[in-house]
Amino acid sequence: MKILRYSILLLVLFSVLLGCKKNGENSDPCDGILNERPALRVMIVLADKQTGDNLILKKGITTTDLKIMLEGTATPLTNWRIVNIPGSPLIGMLELAVFHEKAGEYQYKIETKGLSDVEFSYTIKQVKSDSPCKLYYYPLEGLKATNQDYTKLEIGDKTYPYGIKVLLK
């Protein structure tokens, strides 16, 4: 009999606790959202202007041969990598993760052992969002090399909106 009473009591308490979940106008629609958008990925190919060859692959350049700096800072960035996934169409490209939440123009310099320096820039805009969880979003626009010739990054029939192919002599 005691077991039956405790079982009923536990069932009632469990039902009451589940029934007291907060619903309605006071609930936060953003509760539990960690981040709405992953970092943007800027892709850069360092290519031979004459042959179009990927110079990172051709010359065996590694991460220790490269340094990427944001203008106005003295510390090299660490949020980049050379894609080295066998079979990937992106192999040998520089991939930079972009986390900006401030509008403005961002200018970078890539120093590569044995190659000309590459300077590139892009603009981050602040755009009003319809989401109550994130009032603004920050699209990237105008990616370009500023001291070298470049083209948009195309692989097969796909154009990468956040990618450029920098043509080096």
Side-chain angles (χ1 to χ4, degrees):
M1 199 62 162
K2 284 184 179 182
I3 294 174
L4 183 59
R5 279 189 212 168
Y6 288 124
S7 297
I8 292 173
L9 182 61
L10 283 173
L11 182 61
V12 169
L13 285 173
F14 186 70
S15 298
V16 169
L17 289 174
L18 285 179
C20 291
K21 186 176 180 183
K22 197 175 193 180
N23 286 327
E25 292 180 31
N26 292 335
S27 65
D28 183 2
C30 306
D31 191 30
I33 294 178
L34 296 177
N35 192 354
E36 290 186 13
R37 183 177 185 172
L40 295 173
R41 296 179 340 174
V42 171
M43 303 300 292
I44 298 176
V45 177
L46 303 178
D48 184 292
K49 191 172 190 170
Q50 301 301 319
T51 65
D53 291 341
N54 182 321
L55 293 171
I56 290 176
L57 295 175
K58 186 176 182 180
K59 295 185 177 274
I61 295 170
T62 66
T63 54
T64 57
D65 300 323
L66 285 160
K67 183 167 61 169
I68 301 178
M69 307 282 286
L70 177 62
E71 183 181 85
T73 63
T75 307
L77 298 177
T78 58
N79 57 323
W80 65 275
R81 69 180 182 137
I82 296 175
V83 178
N84 61 1
I85 302 165
S88 170
L90 306 177
I91 194 164
M93 294 184 196
L94 296 176
E95 179 183 58
L96 175 68
V98 176
F99 298 97
H100 302 295
E101 288 203 358
K102 183 178 177 186
E105 185 171 347
Y106 293 86
Q107 299 178 352
Y108 296 85
K109 183 177 189 177
I110 303 171
E111 297 174 359
T112 308
K113 184 175 152 187
L115 297 177
S116 300
D117 290 348
V118 173
E119 296 173 7
F120 69 97
S121 68
Y122 54 79
T123 302
I124 298 291
K125 301 240 180 197
Q126 182 181 47
V127 179
K128 182 91 171 110
S129 168
D130 294 332
S131 171
C133 302
K134 193 164 188 164
L135 299 177
Y136 299 97
Y137 64 96
Y138 299 87
L140 183 147
E141 298 177 352
L143 175 63
K144 63 186 175 196
T146 57
N147 70 333
Q148 305 285 346
D149 291 337
Y150 74 97
T151 62
K152 282 289 193 187
L153 180 58
E154 294 179 358
I155 299 174
D157 60 350
K158 183 175 181 182
T159 301
Y160 288 81
Y162 305 126
I164 57 175
K165 184 177 187 178
V166 180
L167 307 170
L168 299 172
K169 297 177 186 175

